[in-house]
Amino acid sequence: ASFRKNFEKPIAAANQKNASREARSTGLDKSKELEELSKAFMLRRLQRDVLKTMLPPRTEALLFCKPSLRQCELYHKLTNEAISGGMADALTTLTSLRKICSHPGLYDDSDGDTLGLSGKLLVLDALLLRIRQLAPDDKVVIVSNFTSALSLIEKLVLQPRQLSYSRLDGTTDLSNRQNMVDSFNRVSSDRNFCFLLSSKAGGCG
């Protein structure tokens, strides 16, 4: 009750559209006071600071993957429906387009699970093979928002190529997650070349 009175109410009041100047000033003061109090027991690290102090410099490379004919067909069909008002929910449309760009089968089950239907997976397949050939000691982490995409990568790329891998997603027990990461970091690339990771693994991705 004390927290609500001293902090929650004045801060919420300051965020109201029609808040007075006095209310905004009070809310700002209370926010600063609360921040000072929480510093005693909260550890806050900004991503840019972590990247600077804990990780080596990162090199980024963007690969543009030409979509398959089926991907182009579905993409144009969906965007035309959205433009004509056939799909009112923009977020649903964007999610569907992202699925199509990964593999048509993620959007339409009737497309099955053929590697050649996805320009992105064809590039990934070639890239992984080149890494194994030219840098056999290197390992790879593949991250996706869709666990269904991870399953396709397993079935269409990793298993046919007999590439060793681990997978961590929302179904992985919390007690096993750190052990999986430690094992991947410790063993050779021959034993565990690829780590499949869901970015939505229970908030721990």
Side-chain angles (χ1 to χ4, degrees), residues 52-66:
K52 286 180 181 178
T53 60
M54 302 181 67
L55 297 175
R58 180 178 64 182
T59 301
E60 292 189 8
L62 298 179
L63 295 179
F64 292 90
C65 311
K66 184 178 180 180

Side-chain angles (χ1 to χ4, degrees), residues 92-130:
T92 300
T93 302
L94 289 173
T95 300
S96 297
L97 290 174
R98 289 174 59 204
K99 289 182 177 181
I100 291 171
C101 289
S102 292
H103 192 287
L106 300 180
Y107 173 72
D108 188 344
D109 292 337
S110 64
D111 280 310
D113 51 12
T114 303
L115 180 64
L117 289 178
S118 169
K120 182 179 288 187
L121 290 193
L122 284 172
V123 171
L124 176 64
D125 179 60
L127 184 61
L128 293 180
L129 287 179
R130 293 296 286 173

Side-chain angles (χ1 to χ4, degrees), residues 40-108:
F41 52 87
M42 287 185 66
L43 174 63
R44 184 186 181 203
R45 295 186 296 183
L46 299 178
Q47 185 182 37
R48 63 174 179 269
D49 297 329
V50 174
L51 294 177
K52 286 180 181 178
T53 60
M54 302 181 67
L55 297 175
R58 180 178 64 182
T59 301
E60 292 189 8
L62 298 179
L63 295 179
F64 292 90
C65 311
K66 184 178 180 180
S68 68
L69 292 177
R70 180 56 176 162
Q71 284 176 302
C72 291
E73 177 187 334
L74 289 174
Y75 197 97
H76 289 308
K77 176 184 176 182
L78 193 59
T79 51
N80 288 334
E81 289 178 356
I83 292 172
S84 64
M87 299 187 71
D89 189 344
L91 182 59
T92 300
T93 302
L94 289 173
T95 300
S96 297
L97 290 174
R98 289 174 59 204
K99 289 182 177 181
I100 291 171
C101 289
S102 292
H103 192 287
L106 300 180
Y107 173 72
D108 188 344

